Structures are given as structure tokens and as C-alpha cells.
Amino acid sequence: MTPVPFPDLLPALPEILLAVGGMALLMFGVFTGDRSSRPIAWLAVLLMLVAGALVAFGGGAERVTFFGAFVSDAFSSFAKMLILLGSIIAVLLGADQNERDGQARFEYPVLIVFATLGMMMMVSASDLIALYLGLELQSLALYVLAAFRRETVRSTEAGLKYFVLGALSSCMLLYGASLLYGFAGTTDFAGLATTLGTGEPAIGVVFGIVFLAAGLAFKVSAVPFHMWTPDVYEGAPTPVTAFFAIAPKVAAVALLLRVMMEPLGGLVDQWRQIIIFISIGSMVLGAFAAINQTNIKRLMAYSSIGHVGYAMVGLAAGTAAGVRGVLIYMAIYLFMTAGTFAIILCMRQKDRMVEGIADLAGLSRTRPMLALALAIFMFSMAGIPPLSGFFGKLYVFLAAIEAARDYPALYTLAIVGVLSSVVGAFYYLRIVKIMYFDEPAEGFDRSVAGEVKAIIGVSAVVTMFFFLFPAPLLSAAATAAAALVKG
Amino acid sequence: MIVQTLAFYLFAGLTVASAFMVIAARNPVHSVLFLILAFVNAAGLFVLLGAEFLAMMLVVVYVGAVAVLFLFVVMMLDINFAELRQGVLQYLPIGGLVGLILLVELVFVVGVWVAAPGTTPVAPVPLEGGISNTEALGRLLFTKYVYFFQAAGMILLVAMIGAIVLTLRSREGVRRQSISEQNARQRRDTLEIRKVQSGTGG
């Protein structure tokens, strides 16, 4: 047996740092107990900031290591930056909230660090086994986080539901992966791309793609695999819901992009119909099902289903411009969602969380700044120019229209998208109407932690003034997309 | 050769016999113990095949973990097995029929199964260079697949953390053993010597 060279660890340095740092934080927490949950939260934030700096330092050059299982390129760096940002926000939102609920436990930031590690492994996966292991690492941490408030029925129900359905989706994903492996004889993405090639694939390969797409669609909560989303979003503790809505979604969308564009890139005609179907389904369901909601967390769940639908429009285009649109969309979505959930965390009356949309009535008079920020996020989610949400939708629809010359079904997709965003605007604007024109209800508690205020402020500013400085995000997304779609 | 054949019949016979006893034993604890016996004999069969790694895994995973888990469940849950057994004779015909159909299907599947002509095994058996398959697996696992190995380790760690987060609770009013406290105890903390005048009666 020939000796095997030691793998190059540098491309995976941020992941290694997170793994080692997460374990160190775990040990620290075990020996000092729950009273150190605050310092551990801040250390976790610091850890993820350093990891982010390492990702940024790593640059965009494509580096493959661990014998082809792990790739670090501009695309994965872009996604990792978004994931780390989302995780930092979740740790900050959770540290304060858990303390108020008497749930200050040090495992919260530790589990988020491990979930982040799993997500970064997902977006860097260049092998079906690496893909599955990363996905499972993040999912397992998320199941636990969903059931984090174990003494409440809703939280445990959310955790159990998420676990059972998540396990089912993992089965489907594994089945699809095994079919692809069986027909291609390799799990390596590059090998899959050459073996599967272009042209007409075997029927088993098509089955494999369908199952793989179904498993991943579950993770991004796209229709028809969205059923868990409203219940889990409603039942999980609010900071955890915020985390679910931001980081794992970005990671899963990035993973879906990589799987569809890299190993299955030649078979775009096979998977495009699937993506178009789940995209239309998600957009329409997100628009119509949210209308009747009275709970704001459920509303955000349907809203996030809709947003995934819009992002999938870019993937359905199957071009570099489409991938760029999806990445821009996810970056903008991250800020809007983070800000909205930070505001939901401020919805406390007499030290008790309230989640009803009606509780927002007359917020403009009791808390004008909060109402203004929420109005900005709602207008942006509805896609009203010049707010950032408009540009997110603009780039994916533009990409779809460009690609529609070769594939006319994309015109239908774009039209359905625009129409459903008009329907969706109804419930976003209803919140604005309730805040500004309804008689004031009981106001919210005024004690808001500094971190939460900062997150609301920064997100609102980014969402509001994105149109003034769009260039950095646009060029970064373009570089990332070019790394994924070669040639 | 004759020794190997004898060993095969010994292991195989014991496996089948103990597997039968698993479903026939009246006491569920005996069932689990027979299950362990079946696993150990199956491990012996693997050794005869030259798959010593699988044999070790069977003992470590199935005997060491799964069977002990079964034993715990059987002992901790108060299941009335006598009640479960009622009506066995009533369901015997249909159960036997289902079993027979499955057996016939198995015979058909295995009977017609042939490797596609022209296929060659990826690795020769036994492996080149005289290394055992445990060593070969270890070399692969810790070199080419080290990333997957470590990732799987992280997943198990998260599973452990999760189990503790969701179930461990510190209850009030539980008397816990504190070894350091016990060791630090001095005689004067617990014993008080009093001089008692004789005749006063304490």
C-alpha cells in the first residue's frame, strides 16, 4: 500500500477552528455551569468572527482538499460569510432572550457553533458523503435547538416534528444519493459531472435526482415539503426560529445550488422542471397561505416559504446570472429576516412574549422607531422599490427572463412570481396598516437589549440604503456565481 | 479443513438453535440472552469467512450495545409477555403462510442471482501484501476518509450534547454522593465524646 500524503488543512481552516473552538467552549461550559452562558455566547461570537476573517483571508481561489471531498472557492466563501453572519445574529438574539426566559444555558451558543460548522461543511461539500455528513451535523444540532425549551409542550412538539420529518427527508436524500452513486460509480462531484455527462441519462439517474432534490427541498422548506415549517417556526423559541429562518436556509439553498450546478450541471433539462414546480408551488403557497395568519411567527414561516420560491426562480434559470441572483436574494433576505425577528423579540408585554399580529396595533404611536423599522422590512419583503427586497426579486426575475429565450416555460415562472408577489404584498402591507392606522393596543416593554437594538438598526439601514451602494454585494455574488458555473 | 467444517456446523447450528430460542423462550430476559448467543455465533461464522473485522464489530456493536439496550428495556418496562402471547395458535396459520411465501421468494431471488458476466472484484481476496482487512480498513479510514471520519465524530458529539440538553435536569431533594465530602469527613465532625458521670444515667 502506497503511503497517502497528508491532506492540506489550510482550505478547511475556518471549519477546523470552529470544531476545535466549539469543543473548547463546551468544556468551558461544562466546568463552569450555566452562569457562564453570557461569556460563552460572546466567545462564540468572537470565534465565528475569527472564522469569518479566515474565510475572507482564504480568498476566492479554488482549493480542493481531503482527497476531493472538500472544496473552498469563491462560492463557498460567499455562502460561509452569510452563514456566519446569520449565526452571530442568532447567538446575540438568543443570549439576552434566554436569560429573560430563565433559559440561560451554555449549550445554546455551543449548539449554534456546531450547527454552523455543519452548514459550512455543507456548502464546501464536493462529495455526496461530505454533503450528507454536513447536512446531518447541522440538522441534528437544529433538532435539539428546536426543542430547547423542553418544559413547554410547543417547543418539544416542534423539536419532535422537525426530527421525524427531517429524518424522513434524510432518507430520501440518501436514497437519491445511493442511486446516483450506483449509476455513476463515484460519489465525487467532479466524477459525477463527467460520468453523468450531458444528454439523456438513465432512468435511475433521473430517480436519483428527484429524490436528492426532494431531500434538499425539505431542508429549504420548499413546497411540497414545507409542512413542517409553520409548526416548527411557531413552536421553537423565537431566537431559534430566527436562526432557522436565516442561516440554515442560506446554507441549504447554497447546497442546492452546488448540487444542481456542479455534479448535475449537465442534466439541467432533467432537474429544471422539478425546480420550476417547487418554485411556483412555494411562491403561490407563501402568498396565499399567509393571508389568514394571526401569529407573526407563522406568518414569517409562510413568508420564508415564499422567499425560497423566489430564490428558486434564479436556480431554474440555470445560468451564472441566475446563481448570482439567488445569492443576492439570500444576502438581502438575511438582513430583512434578521431585523424582523429582532423586532418580534421586542414584542413583550409585562415580561411575557406575545406573538399575535393584532398586538402590533398602533405601534407607530407607542414605539415610532420600532414601527418604522418593521415598516421598512415589510415594504422590502413585499418588494417595493427602492428597498433592497425589490432588487433581490429584480435580479432573479431578470435572470429567468434572459434564460427564457432557450426555455420558454421560464416566462410562465416569472409571471407567476410577479403575480404572487402582488398577492404577498397584501399581508406585508396589512402589518404596516395595523401599526400605523389601528388604535394603539397595550404597548410593549421598553427594556430592549443593546444587541437587539443594534441588529434592528443595522438591518434597517442596510435594507433601506442598499440601493445606494449595491456594488460590493453584486460583484461578490458575481464572482461566487462564476466559481460555480464554469465556462 | 475438517476442523473448519466442524466449526462451521457448530456455529451455524448454535446460531439457528439460539435464534429459535429467542422467539420460543418464555422469559423475555432469556430471549435476550439467546439473542446474544446468536450474535456471538454469527461472529464466529464471520471469522471462518475471514472477515475478522465484521466479527469484532458484531460483538462490539450488537452484543455490547444493542443487546444490552434490549436487556435494559425488557427489565425496566413491565411488559406482560404472557398477555402478548395469547392467541398465538389463532394467528399461526396466517403467520406461517406469510413466512412460507417470504421463504419461497428468498429461494427464488437467491437461486437465480448471478454476477453479471465480465465483472471483476475491485479488490482481490485475500488482499495483496498479506495485510488483514482490519488493517486495510483502518488505513483507508484514517487517510483517504479522514474527513468523513472526523465529521461523523462531530455528529456523534452533537448527538451526545443533544441527549444531555434535552433530558438532564437537576432535581431538588435528591441525595447525591459527594466523594470529596465523604473523604474530607473527620471524626470530630460526627462524633462527640461526652464525659458522663457514673450513676447519673446520661
Side-chain angles (χ1 to χ4, degrees):
Chain A
M1 209 170 212
T2 48
V4 179
F6 192 77
D8 182 14
L9 296 181
L10 272 183
L13 200 58
E15 282 80 6
I16 295 171
L17 177 84
L18 272 193
V20 175
M23 286 190 272
L25 287 183
L26 179 68
M27 282 298 111
F28 181 49
V30 167
F31 284 110
T32 55
D34 285 332
R35 65 178 182 281
S36 60
S37 60
R38 233 335 134 99
I40 289 183
W42 284 109
L43 284 173
V45 169
L46 183 72
L47 186 69
M48 291 195 271
L49 281 177
V50 176
L54 286 178
V55 172
F57 258 122
E62 181 174 315
R63 293 174 297 166
V64 180
T65 183
F66 292 122
F67 313 98
F70 187 96
V71 61
S72 161
D73 54 11
F75 177 78
S76 72
S77 301
F78 186 90
K80 281 178 196 173
M81 293 304 253
L82 291 187
I83 291 165
L84 284 166
L85 191 61
S87 300
I88 290 171
I89 290 171
V91 171
L92 289 178
L93 289 181
D96 175 63
Q97 180 69 22
N98 289 342
E99 244 167 57
R100 283 169 193 243
D101 292 342
Q103 287 287 319
R105 284 195 281 158
F106 73 90
E107 288 97 342
Y108 177 80
V110 171
L111 281 172
I112 288 196
V113 168
F114 284 133
T116 312
L117 171 68
M119 290 183 251
M120 289 170 64
M121 285 161 57
M122 266 161 71
V123 297
S124 270
S126 158
D127 186 296
L128 287 174
I129 304 176
L131 177 161
Y132 176 69
L133 288 173
L135 196 70
E136 223 31 37
L137 179 56
Q138 70 117 20
S139 304
L140 211 54
L142 295 187
Y143 303 146
V144 180
L145 282 173
F148 200 70
R149 297 198 60 179
R150 59 189 184 191
E151 76 287 347
T152 63
V153 177
R154 280 204 317 178
S155 178
T156 42
E157 182 199 331
L160 194 64
K161 249 182 201 165
Y162 194 25
F163 173 68
V164 172
L165 292 174
L168 184 71
S169 84
S170 290
C171 292
M172 288 198 278
L173 189 133
L174 274 182
Y175 185 46
S178 71
L179 278 174
L180 283 185
Y181 172 60
F183 276 85
T186 174
T187 56
D188 185 50
F189 280 2
L192 279 171
T194 45
T195 319
L196 296 178
T198 54
E200 194 67 22
I203 189 81
V205 174
V206 179
F207 262 89
I209 296 173
V210 170
F211 277 102
L212 202 64
L216 290 173
F218 178 92
K219 298 291 176 193
V220 298
S221 71
V223 173
F225 306 99
H226 63 284
M227 282 79 104
W228 58 277
T229 324
D231 291 343
V232 172
Y233 275 36
E234 189 188 359
T238 310
V240 176
T241 312
F243 183 50
F244 280 7
I246 311 172
K249 196 146 272 193
V250 173
V253 167
L255 180 66
L256 189 58
L257 286 181
R258 192 188 281 284
V259 170
M260 290 304 166
M261 301 306 289
E262 235 169 41
L264 307 176
L267 304 174
V268 60
D269 290 333
Q270 308 299 325
W271 53 258
R272 192 182 255 156
Q273 329 160 19
I274 309 173
I275 299 295
I276 290 179
F277 172 72
I278 64 175
S279 172
I280 289 183
S282 307
M283 288 189 295
V284 171
L285 185 112
F288 283 98
I291 290 176
N292 273 332
Q293 299 304 322
T294 52
N295 182 304
I296 190 145
K297 280 162 82 179
R298 276 188 97 81
L299 180 107
M300 287 306 290
Y302 284 109
S303 156
S304 83
I305 294 173
H307 283 302
V308 166
Y310 296 116
M312 289 300 114
V313 173
L315 176 58
T319 55
V323 172
R324 188 187 72 139
V326 177
L327 291 176
I328 296 171
Y329 198 98
M330 290 325 282
I332 288 170
Y333 166 82
L334 188 149
F335 282 104
M336 297 189 298
T337 312
T340 311
F341 273 102
I343 291 176
I344 294 176
L345 276 178
C346 298
M347 293 172 60
R348 311 178 66 92
Q349 288 172 348
K350 301 196 179 70
D351 251 356
R352 217 172 48 80
M353 294 290 300
V354 290
E355 294 168 359
I357 294 174
D359 292 312
L360 289 165
L363 192 67
S364 63
R365 266 167 277 178
T366 50
R367 302 288 291 277
M369 290 312 280
L370 212 56
L372 178 67
L374 190 53
I376 290 176
F377 297 134
M378 289 299 125
F379 277 122
S380 172
M381 287 200 184
I384 290 168
L387 296 167
S388 63
F390 166 73
F391 292 98
K393 290 199 172 72
L394 177 72
Y395 286 113
V396 287
F397 286 138
L398 273 184
I401 296 293
E402 269 170 33
R405 275 185 223 115
D406 307 326
Y407 196 84
L410 290 172
Y411 281 124
T412 325
L413 182 65
I415 291 168
V416 171
V418 172
L419 289 182
S420 59
S421 85
V422 173
V423 177
F426 167 74
Y427 61 82
Y428 293 126
L429 297 184
R430 186 164 72 103
I431 293 181
V432 177
K433 176 241 164 199
I434 287 174
M435 286 193 302
Y436 277 86
F437 300 111
D438 282 11
E439 280 307 305
E442 191 180 351
F444 297 139
D445 296 353
R446 296 209 158 258
S447 61
V448 175
E451 306 94 271
V452 179
K453 276 185 194 156
I455 289 170
I456 298 175
V458 171
S459 315
V461 168
V462 170
T463 308
M464 183 78 215
F465 296 109
F466 168 76
F467 71 97
L468 293 179
F469 309 102
L473 179 62
L474 297 191
S475 62
T479 323
L484 195 62
V485 190
K486 290 165 192 111
Chain B
M1 208 56 213
I2 185 84
V3 180
Q4 280 195 7
T5 315
L6 280 179
F8 170 77
Y9 281 114
L10 177 72
F11 285 136
L14 274 176
T15 310
V16 174
S18 47
F20 179 74
M21 286 309 286
V22 172
I23 53 171
R26 281 203 172 276
N27 188 331
V29 176
H30 293 174
S31 283
V32 177
L33 293 176
F34 275 116
L35 189 66
I36 294 176
L37 186 63
F39 284 144
V40 174
N41 281 300
L45 289 176
F46 274 129
V47 173
L48 288 182
L49 280 174
E52 82 286 350
F53 184 74
L54 272 182
M56 285 189 290
M57 281 297 107
L58 198 69
V59 172
V60 170
V61 175
Y62 281 91
V63 177
V66 176
V68 172
L69 195 73
F70 278 167
L71 206 56
F72 264 111
V73 171
V74 166
M75 286 174 159
M76 290 177 83
L77 296 184
D78 188 23
I79 303 171
N80 191 346
F81 284 89
E83 219 169 81
L84 284 180
R85 271 168 211 283
Q86 274 174 5
V88 166
L89 281 181
Q90 192 187 340
Y91 298 116
L92 194 63
I94 187 94
L97 187 69
V98 171
L100 195 70
I101 291 173
L102 282 178
L103 182 72
V104 172
E105 281 179 348
L106 259 180
V107 169
F108 279 143
V109 167
V110 178
V112 300
W113 186 79
V114 279
T119 38
T120 48
V122 176
V125 186
L127 293 160
E128 283 166 8
I131 55 171
S132 64
N133 52 36
T134 308
E135 195 181 345
L137 277 171
R139 281 192 185 178
L140 264 187
L141 202 57
F142 296 118
T143 55
K144 197 179 166 205
Y145 295 124
V146 67
Y147 176 63
F148 305 143
F149 184 69
Q150 294 292 336
M154 291 306 292
I155 293 175
L156 291 180
L157 176 69
V158 169
M160 254 162 65
I161 300 172
I164 293 171
V165 166
L166 293 183
T167 55
L168 182 73
R169 55 195 77 214
S170 52
R171 275 182 299 178
E172 298 296 319
V174 180
R175 289 160 189 273
R176 285 215 167 72
Q177 185 183 25
S178 169
I179 293 169
S180 61
E181 231 170 74
Q182 287 177 350
N183 287 342
R185 240 157 76 122
Q186 303 272 327
R187 194 168 61 182
R188 62 170 177 275
D189 299 336
T190 48
L191 273 184
E192 197 178 338
I193 299 173
R194 292 193 175 197
K195 290 265 185 274
V196 180
Q197 292 288 323
S198 58
T200 57

